[in-house]
Amino acid sequence: MIILGIESSCDETAAAIVRDGHDVLASTISSQVQLHAGYGGVIPELAAREHLRNISPVVDTALAKAAISIDQIEGVAVTSNPGLIPALLVGNAYAKGLAAAKDIPLVGINHFIAHIYGAFIGQPELLADAANFPILALVVSGGHTAIVVIQPDGHARIVGSTLDDAAGEALDKAAKILGLGYPGGPVIDRIAKTGNTSAYDFPRGLTGAAGKAVKPEHRFDFSFSGVKTAMLYAVKDRSLSDQELADVVASYQAAVMGVLVTKAGDAALHFNTPVICVCGGVACNSYLREKLSQEAGRIGRKLVLAPPKYCTDNAAMVAGLAWHYLRHGRSDGLAMPTNARLDHDLGIIPFAPNATMPAN
């Protein structure tokens, strides 16, 4: 089955053509990063206007790259939650119109779950093997930082999430404080390579590193507000040399990523998950990828890192995931709603080997 995927949850207008869940025929993205950079973050109404301007050309480009016509599309998938409502509405209106015009099934996709699937889109054999389950997924982006455990029957639950800032948000805010521009993740990753990760002893929230015991209910939760505040005071009223800036950035990045590594490793052992999957925009970070590889080796777990092209927002993960829903008989009608928030009850994940989806 050939599925067209559409993604417009934030500031990327994306379209992709995917066959049978993993054969990516085309993936096209129009980024709005430069447009929003001057504001230090995404402006929802501005993002929606750009989606409206870009969505038709982006879909046309994807079809041209895949060398197929719109009449060959057998299903339409679109991110319906979570995300910025003005931005989501543009993609959903387009997808619903196309599904109605061509009389093909429509599937609304949870962006958060799609990120998890993006890590496996080129390795479907890993998802077909029940021995790889339960899978632990660390989802780290500008909007989300959470640990998910997925059982072989598809039941999935969020076992830990951030109590304040997401990891990507913590990087963006640090970059803004330091005057490094937006988005913060890539520039922090680059500058940190020449810095000393031990120059500053920044706090690592909810890890017990400061001698304060972590409450059991927060064992797998995250908090990045403390490290951000500590960094703010460390540079306040100071003029930093290039090396001093690199040391601050390297120490800050090490603190943020260190928490992610520690929590993921602890959760993998606690829930006895043979596979650790890491996905989302922050999964592009080279320091995080290196440290997670070391941790996975130390505790004897298989590590699946989302390819960088599927870490950031894209439509291939949307179309690929939709195939699994459709093969289980699920499709959504034109009354399908959009939702800005993430529901912690993730329901049944359809790509698990023993998943049985409820009736549509």
Side-chain angles (χ1 to χ4, degrees):
M1 176 178 279
I2 299 176
I3 298 174
L4 166 65
I6 295 172
E7 156 63 29
S8 69
S9 65
C10 191
D11 62 340
E12 312 284 0
T13 312
I17 313 294
V18 179
R19 180 192 288 122
D20 296 339
H22 64 272
D23 184 9
V24 181
L25 305 181
S27 181
T28 305
I29 301 172
S30 176
S31 175
Q32 301 178 19
V33 168
Q34 294 303 317
L35 184 66
H36 298 278
Y39 301 97
V42 178
I43 307 301
E45 291 75 15
L46 183 57
R49 287 201 297 269
E50 288 302 302
H51 286 311
L52 191 60
R53 186 198 318 272
N54 295 331
I55 191 162
S56 288
V58 166
V59 170
D60 290 344
T61 300
L63 290 168
K65 285 184 176 180
I68 64 172
S69 73
I70 194 67
D71 292 328
Q72 292 174 270
I73 298 297
E74 299 169 87
V76 183
V78 63
T79 301
S80 59
N81 70 292
L84 305 175
I85 288 295
L88 286 170
L89 288 173
V90 176
N92 277 253
Y94 187 97
K96 289 176 180 180
L98 181 59
K102 297 298 180 181
D103 193 25
I104 54 178
L106 169 72
V107 181
I109 293 297
N110 183 309
H111 181 84
F112 183 86
I113 298 172
H115 268 303
I116 299 174
Y117 184 71
F120 297 96
I121 199 167
Q123 305 179 80
E125 68 280 359
L126 294 179
L127 297 177
D129 187 353
N132 290 324
F133 287 76
I135 286 175
L136 182 138
L138 174 65
V139 185
V140 277
S141 67
H144 304 289
T145 297
I147 295 175
V148 181
V149 175
I150 306 170
Q151 301 295 337
D153 64 0
H155 279 91
R157 63 189 180 104
I158 295 176
V159 299
S161 58
T162 182
L163 304 183
D164 40 60
D165 294 345
E169 185 180 3
L171 297 177
D172 286 341
K173 288 180 177 179
K176 187 173 183 179
I177 291 168
L178 296 169
L180 301 178
Y182 173 86
V187 67
I188 283 178
D189 192 9
R190 175 175 56 80
I191 293 175
K193 294 183 188 301
T194 60
N196 178 4
T197 58
S198 302
Y200 294 84
D201 186 18
F202 288 131
R204 303 189 178 199
L206 298 181
T207 62
K212 183 179 180 181
V214 179
K215 294 180 180 179
E217 62 267 29
H218 294 313
R219 179 175 176 179
F220 306 116
D221 287 331
F222 303 88
S223 174
F224 297 110
S225 61
V227 65
K228 179 189 64 182
T229 302
M231 191 276 290
L232 173 63
Y233 281 107
V235 302
K236 188 177 181 181
D237 301 325
R238 290 182 59 190
S239 178
L240 301 174
S241 67
D242 288 347
Q243 187 57 54
E244 288 172 332
L245 174 63
D247 289 345
V248 169
V249 168
S251 299
Y252 184 84
Q253 176 180 259
V256 172
M257 303 306 169
V259 173
L260 297 175
V261 173
T262 297
K263 297 276 186 174
D266 184 27
L269 291 172
H270 180 78
F271 294 103
N272 195 27
T273 61
V275 171
I276 300 173
C277 152
V278 187
C279 55
V282 179
C284 285
N285 183 275
S286 62
Y287 182 88
L288 176 62
R289 294 171 85 90
E290 176 188 353
K291 294 302 179 182
L292 279 169
S293 295
Q294 294 172 1
E295 178 68 1
R298 185 185 73 82
I299 64 175
R301 291 326 193 245
K302 179 178 179 60
L303 180 66
V304 177
L305 293 165
K309 65 182 176 180
Y310 298 139
C311 287
T312 53
D313 290 351
N314 66 90
M317 64 185 189
V318 174
L321 177 59
W323 177 78
H324 289 273
Y325 282 111
L326 286 168
R327 74 185 181 93
H328 280 286
R330 176 195 140 181
S331 63
D332 300 301
L334 298 182
M336 179 187 71
T338 56
N339 189 348
R341 304 187 69 83
L342 174 68
D343 189 342
H344 277 215
D345 180 8
L346 298 176
I348 303 295
I349 305 296
F351 55 70
N354 301 328
T356 302
M357 299 298 294
N360 198 30

